[in-house]
Amino acid sequence: MLERSITEEVEAAIQAGSAEKHLDALRQVTDLLLLSADGYSGEQIELFGDVLERLIRTIELRALADVAARIALAELSTQLASAKQAPPRVIRRLAHNDEISIARPVLTESARLTADDLVELAQTKGEQHLLAISGRWWLTEIVTDALLKRHYPSVSRRLVTNPGARMSASGFAIVLKQAESNPDLAVETGIRIDLPAEQRRQLLQSATEAVRTRLLSRAPPHLFEEIRNAIAAASTGASREMSRTRDFTAARRFVAALAKHGKLNEPALLAFARERKYAETVAALAELSGSSVEVIRPVMQSLRDDGVLIPCRVAGLNWDTVAAVLDSRFAAGSMGRHELAKAREQYAKLTVENARRLLRFWQVRAIDAAPKPPR
């Protein structure tokens, strides 16, 4: 009954030769499919696919010159994109449509497109179609490899910023080549958790100081040390200590000796910071703010700049020294002008009273978190 009803109505609409009849039939069949798609059998879904394909073929002939026809097909694509039981052949036909407004919804969302479908589309369609595929919530390496082989920088950028797009070492190699002349792409690639360590080092070796600084400021906590160390290793003339696991024992002793002889002051801290003596900078800032390395080290490693301002305000530092301390967190380069201006504004608004209150809280928390000796 269902089969005869659908096929008879569609046949009548096609025979009528009216554009309005064709579009009306398309909407009716689509609504009927979506109304109870989960309850239809595979055979019934296939029937809907046959009917819709026939209608689409008829409407596509008009779509080149008829705006209403293009809109109707784009609406169909949007409706079917999230439908789990959408006819696969219909989805593939819509995905291959040269009009991106028609293809985009199913390219971006439809689970009915297989990896083989996506690879074929990546090999044959244009940049806009590839961009749509690149935004899908999940992509395997075989698909991203096919997309990247087309060498569109816009596609590479979207894939790199898509956490659901898995990328192979060969795929990353293509991206790294493009990143040599694209700072934004270099930064986005450098913070990918799945970027092999060797390729991250390769990226940092050819990166500008501005890119290295931006990359470090964007680094997620679990990659911060790896990226900082890689930058240190890649930087010409960078201190060897910057690329090692830091031991603050010597720095603590040295700073304590300076304090004992009355030689630990703001100029000494400024010198440490400007010379990128990271361990000494941390130890000196801890001493001058009446805090501890255990409190200062985390705020120096944080992706946020405002934490460093707290001990600096407690220590009563001038802005030039604060700026040097902020820059000392990087193996090379300096903070961007925008970030530095924002930090300066925050520092100016920060009161000594509020800074002391927060620093005391951090100190108590650090003590509570410290390992307790066995009883």
Side-chain angles (χ1 to χ4, degrees), residues 74-328:
E75 289 176 347
L76 173 66
S77 181
T78 300
Q79 289 178 291
L80 296 184
S82 59
K84 295 179 181 178
Q85 299 300 321
R89 291 204 315 276
V90 172
I91 295 297
R92 284 194 289 270
R93 188 175 192 93
L94 292 170
H96 278 83
N97 197 292
D98 289 335
E99 176 61 49
I100 188 59
S101 64
I102 297 171
R104 183 184 290 113
V106 294
L107 288 175
T108 303
E109 190 175 353
S110 180
R112 302 295 263 179
L113 290 172
T114 66
D116 288 342
D117 293 329
L118 295 173
V119 168
E120 180 189 356
L121 288 159
Q123 293 171 340
T124 58
K125 305 304 287 187
E127 182 177 4
Q128 292 303 311
H129 286 65
L130 271 63
L131 273 172
I133 296 172
S134 300
R136 290 173 71 89
W137 73 275
W138 179 254
L139 291 168
T140 60
E141 290 92 336
I142 189 174
V143 177
T144 57
D145 279 351
L147 291 166
L148 291 167
K149 284 177 182 176
R150 298 291 301 280
H151 296 281
Y152 289 115
S154 60
V155 172
S156 298
R157 176 73 184 274
R158 180 162 295 182
L159 286 174
V160 164
T161 56
N162 179 357
R166 293 168 53 184
M167 297 172 63
S168 67
S170 59
F172 274 124
I174 294 173
V175 175
L176 292 182
K177 187 66 177 175
Q178 294 172 321
E180 291 177 3
S181 58
N182 188 326
D184 291 335
L185 182 60
V187 172
E188 297 294 348
T189 306
I191 60 175
R192 285 277 301 206
I193 188 173
D194 55 344
L195 177 65
E198 180 56 38
Q199 289 185 306
R200 183 174 284 110
R201 286 191 291 272
Q202 176 188 337
L203 182 153
L204 290 167
Q205 283 173 354
S206 59
T208 64
E209 295 301 327
V211 166
R212 290 174 181 173
T213 300
R214 286 177 56 197
L215 207 161
L216 193 59
S217 71
R218 290 278 309 281
H222 51 279
L223 286 179
F224 189 89
E225 283 294 338
E226 179 184 339
I227 290 176
R228 186 199 289 275
N229 292 341
I231 289 175
S235 299
T236 303
S239 169
R240 291 176 180 271
E241 294 301 320
M242 292 292 286
S243 63
R244 298 177 185 170
T245 301
R246 293 184 187 85
D247 182 353
F248 287 86
T249 304
R252 288 180 203 256
R253 283 200 299 263
F254 180 56
V255 167
L258 289 178
K260 181 178 179 180
H261 293 91
K263 295 182 179 180
L264 181 64
N265 49 28
E266 183 170 349
L269 173 59
L270 178 59
F272 289 147
R274 285 180 172 172
E275 292 171 20
R276 308 284 173 152
K277 293 182 176 179
Y278 180 77
E280 288 82 357
T281 300
V282 171
L285 182 56
E287 185 73 27
L288 290 173
S289 63
S291 183
S292 66
V293 168
E294 288 68 32
V295 169
I296 302 304
R297 186 183 185 188
V299 299
M300 288 285 281
Q301 291 180 330
S302 172
L303 296 182
R304 298 181 58 171
D305 303 319
D306 51 0
V308 180
L309 304 181
I310 303 300
C312 289
R313 175 57 79 194
V314 173
L317 304 180
N318 293 318
W319 173 249
D320 286 346
T321 306
V322 177
V325 170
L326 287 169
D327 283 344
S328 73

